[in-house]
Amino acid sequence: MASLKTISFLFLVLILISDSSTALGKRIRDRNKPCKRLVVYFHDILFTGKNAQNSTSATVGAPAWGNKTALANPFRYGDLVAFDDPITLDKNLHSTPVGRAQGFYLYTSKSTLAAWFSVSFVFNSTEHKGSINFAGNEYVLQNTRDISITGGTGDFFMARGIASLMTDAYEKTDYFRLRVDIKLYECW
Ligand SMILES: *[C@@H]1O[C@H](CO)[C@@H](O)[C@H](O)[C@H]1NC(C)=O
Ligand SMILES: *[C@@H]1O[C@H](CO)[C@@H](O)[C@H](O)[C@H]1NC(C)=O
Ligand SMILES: *[C@@H]1O[C@H](CO)[C@@H](O)[C@H](O)[C@H]1NC(C)=O
């Protein structure tokens, strides 16, 4: 019956091990299952020289051969755009925003449309308060692009994960809407 003792001891050890991660308040789940998922849209209206009233983004830097109201050639390479975009839960630009996407993107390629995003989603709704921070390069012409979620505050304290971006609408040069599928793989 010594083996019974051994077995119950092993059981106890197992319970302690499996509990230690939750005891720290941290939840790391397996790779394939986000511990939190949230789909939102953000709307960007680029300042093109005439729409100061409703624009939500502006080119703040351009290469020497361009300027701040025209898109640089080729592929906007070198343009730096600052933005303060509304975030909504549906596709409607005029829905009540749940927060703001605030940051910048820098066009990074001379051979395709690519943009480095550095942005905080600042949530301020009854459901969510806090921010999620994103960083990464995205190849705009691909259907789905993943960028890193590097951290968060408030309801998203210490968040880490992946955001899958899809262009949901693109109208002329002055309006685009991105669908952002936020998948957190670390939640506290
Ligand atoms: C922004 O305002 C301009 C001028 O009033 C208008 O033509 C344009 O459609 C508006 N853009 C969006 C995305 O609502
Ligand atoms: C910016 O460049 C575009 C394209 O070369 C030109 O049409 C426009 O007049 C320029 N705007 C300013 C403010 O210089
Ligand atoms: C959040 O929303 C409330 C209510 O609309 C507002 O009073 C407050 O200033 C907002 N906070 C931020 C950080 O935007």
Side-chain angles (χ1 to χ4, degrees):
M1 278 318 192
S3 63
L4 191 62
K5 257 189 188 170
T6 315
I7 287 167
S8 26
F9 175 72
L10 283 176
F11 246 110
L12 189 67
V13 169
L14 265 178
I15 287 166
L16 285 174
I17 289 171
S18 67
D19 207 42
S20 61
S21 57
T22 51
L24 287 168
K26 189 178 188 178
R27 286 186 291 144
I28 302 175
R29 301 263 179 94
D30 82 72
R31 266 166 200 270
N32 305 310
K33 285 201 202 105
C35 47
K36 190 172 182 67
R37 191 158 178 205
L38 188 61
V39 175
V40 298
Y41 295 85
F42 81 86
H43 308 260
D44 188 273
I45 306 170
L46 182 63
F47 175 66
T48 52
K50 291 179 190 126
N51 56 347
Q53 203 68 32
N54 63 356
S55 66
T56 62
S57 69
T59 304
V60 297
W65 59 86
N67 67 42
K68 291 175 190 164
T69 48
L71 308 174
N73 265 317
F75 300 106
R76 307 188 183 184
Y77 172 71
D79 278 348
L80 176 64
V81 179
F83 60 97
D84 177 7
D85 289 347
I87 301 169
T88 59
L89 296 178
D90 62 17
K91 299 182 179 203
N92 188 345
L93 167 65
H94 303 291
S95 293
T96 306
V98 294
R100 312 289 301 183
Q102 297 173 320
F104 63 85
Y105 45 93
L106 170 67
Y107 289 97
T108 49
S109 173
K110 291 176 83 175
S111 56
T112 184
L113 208 50
W116 167 270
F117 262 84
S118 184
V119 51
S120 294
F121 279 17
V122 183
F123 288 91
N124 186 17
S125 68
T126 44
E127 209 162 332
H128 297 296
K129 296 227 179 337
S131 67
I132 302 179
N133 296 312
F134 304 80
N137 203 43
E138 61 141 333
Y139 289 86
V140 178
L141 302 176
Q142 289 178 354
N143 260 352
T144 306
R145 299 86 71 176
D146 288 345
I147 61 172
S148 309
I149 294 171
T150 57
T153 65
D155 290 352
F156 306 102
F157 178 72
M158 296 294 280
R160 270 154 63 87
I162 292 290
S164 300
L165 309 182
M166 289 173 78
T167 305
D168 197 61
Y170 186 84
E171 288 162 20
K172 297 183 210 142
T173 53
D174 61 348
Y175 174 73
F176 70 78
R177 176 173 67 235
L178 289 188
R179 179 184 188 272
V180 186
D181 187 351
I182 296 167
K183 288 161 285 190
L184 302 183
Y185 294 87
E186 268 188 46
C187 305
W188 288 68

